[in-house]
């Protein structure tokens, strides 16, 4: 079946602009995660949704970052007043959302460059 | 705070030369330890989940093992197509679902 998809694959923006990154999870997966990966580092957690609600947003770096998942499927990560330090690859993952250590499957990522 | 440390940072092998990658972790109760493979420009690809000390899992030339403090990814007779970054991550048993990742080991297998 289809995996996690993310759009756009690349986004170049100017400092101070607003950007939206989209994630389509695997069909039937109730849990959705956003991570951010800088060059040479492992992914860092941003936010986790179970269904429509943000169950854990402890990884969001500041209030410029916001994410929604209004219908419990597609999610959008929104970044306001972008800064050069926001440049990274933004990864989305989804899982079945069970009580055990359910596997998170990752999308290809969106590479964000803030000039 | 959960922590994951991977070593070495980079490893260069000749085709057929077996080796092991290390993942040391500290976590407040382990729900699961995950191994992923990541190719340049791609997202992490799931390899294994390990749940408790003593557990082992195999897939083709890869074998993952787990103790109470570390995990090893053993690569037997690697091929050039095994070249990638291998990421280790833990999920705590506290109810928090986020994965904590190490920085990865960049593996290059030369023909």
């Amino acid at each position: 079946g289809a995996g996690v998809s993310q759009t756009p694959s690349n986004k170049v923006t100017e400092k101070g602009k607003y950007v939206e990154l989209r994630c389509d999870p695997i069909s039937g997966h109730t849990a959705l995660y956003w991570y951010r990966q800088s060059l040479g580092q492992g992914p860092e957690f941003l936010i986790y949704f179970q269904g429509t609600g943000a169950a854990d947003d402890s990884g969001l770096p500041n209030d410029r970052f916001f994410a929604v998942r209004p219908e419990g499927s597609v999610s959008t990560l929104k970044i306001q007043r972008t800064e050069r330090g926001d440049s990274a690859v933004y990864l989305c993952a989804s899982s079945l959302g069970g009580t055990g250590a359910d596997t998170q499957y990752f999308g290809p990522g969106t590479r964000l460059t803030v000039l | 705070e959960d922590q994951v440390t991977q070593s070495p940072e980079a490893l260069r092998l000749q085709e057929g030369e077996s080796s092991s990658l290390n993942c040391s972790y500290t976590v407040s109760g382990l729900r699961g330890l995950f191994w992923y493979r990541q190719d340049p420009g791609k997202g992490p690809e799931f390899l294994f989940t390990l749940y408790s000390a003593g557990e082992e899992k195999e897939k083709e030339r890869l074998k993952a093992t787990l103790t109470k403090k570390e995990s090893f990814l053993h690569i037997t007779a690697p091929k050039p197509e095994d070249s990638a970054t291998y990421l280790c991550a833990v999920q705590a048993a506290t109810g928090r679902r986020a994965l904590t990742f190490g920085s990865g080991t960049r593996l290059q297998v030369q023909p």
Side-chain angles (χ1 to χ4, degrees):
Chain A
V4 177
S5 61
Q6 294 186 244
T7 55
S9 55
N10 281 284
K11 176 70 177 179
V12 180
T13 190
E14 293 180 343
K15 180 176 178 295
K17 298 289 188 182
Y18 168 83
V19 297
E20 290 189 352
L21 312 179
R22 175 187 167 108
C23 172
D24 270 280
I26 294 172
S27 177
H29 281 192
T30 62
L32 185 145
Y33 307 78
W34 285 98
Y35 291 82
R36 179 167 72 173
Q37 187 173 28
S38 300
L39 193 63
Q41 301 298 313
E44 291 182 314
F45 170 75
L46 295 175
I47 186 169
Y48 153 57
F49 288 89
Q50 180 59 51
T52 60
D56 181 357
D57 63 359
S58 62
L60 295 178
N62 51 60
D63 61 6
R64 295 187 298 105
F65 288 75
F66 189 70
V68 295
R69 194 186 185 198
E71 297 180 357
S73 179
V74 170
S75 176
T76 304
L77 179 66
K78 309 181 181 194
I79 310 174
Q80 298 179 323
R81 304 183 303 280
T82 52
E83 300 177 357
R84 293 194 180 86
D86 299 334
S87 295
V89 175
Y90 289 80
L91 294 164
C92 176
S94 70
S95 73
L96 287 171
T99 55
D102 62 325
T103 299
Q104 297 180 24
Y105 296 92
F106 284 81
T110 294
R111 180 175 299 277
L112 176 66
T113 303
V114 181
L115 301 176
Chain B
E1 183 181 340
D2 303 335
Q3 284 193 316
V4 177
T5 303
Q6 292 189 245
S7 61
E9 290 185 8
L11 181 62
R12 183 179 295 180
L13 299 174
Q14 292 297 124
E15 185 172 1
E17 179 186 2
S18 301
S19 189
S20 296
L21 312 182
N22 177 264
C23 170
S24 297
Y25 66 91
T26 56
V27 65
S28 49
L30 182 68
R31 184 189 300 270
L33 183 141
F34 300 82
W35 282 98
Y36 288 86
R37 168 192 171 127
Q38 186 171 30
D39 292 298
K42 303 283 183 63
E45 175 188 346
F46 171 72
L47 293 173
F48 303 108
T49 307
L50 301 168
Y51 298 98
S52 57
E55 190 175 2
E56 299 182 352
K57 289 197 175 171
E58 285 189 70
K59 179 181 179 180
E60 296 181 353
R61 295 176 293 282
L62 300 177
K63 178 179 173 181
T65 62
L66 181 65
T67 73
K68 288 187 177 180
K69 294 184 178 180
E70 55 192 353
S71 176
F72 292 94
L73 185 65
H74 307 278
I75 303 177
T76 302
K79 298 182 178 182
E81 53 262 43
D82 295 322
S83 297
T85 295
Y86 290 85
L87 294 165
C88 173
V90 296
Q91 189 178 55
T94 56
R96 191 160 181 260
R97 310 299 294 187
L99 296 179
T100 300
F101 280 87
S103 295
T105 293
R106 294 188 309 280
L107 174 65
Q108 184 177 20
V109 182
Q110 296 183 315

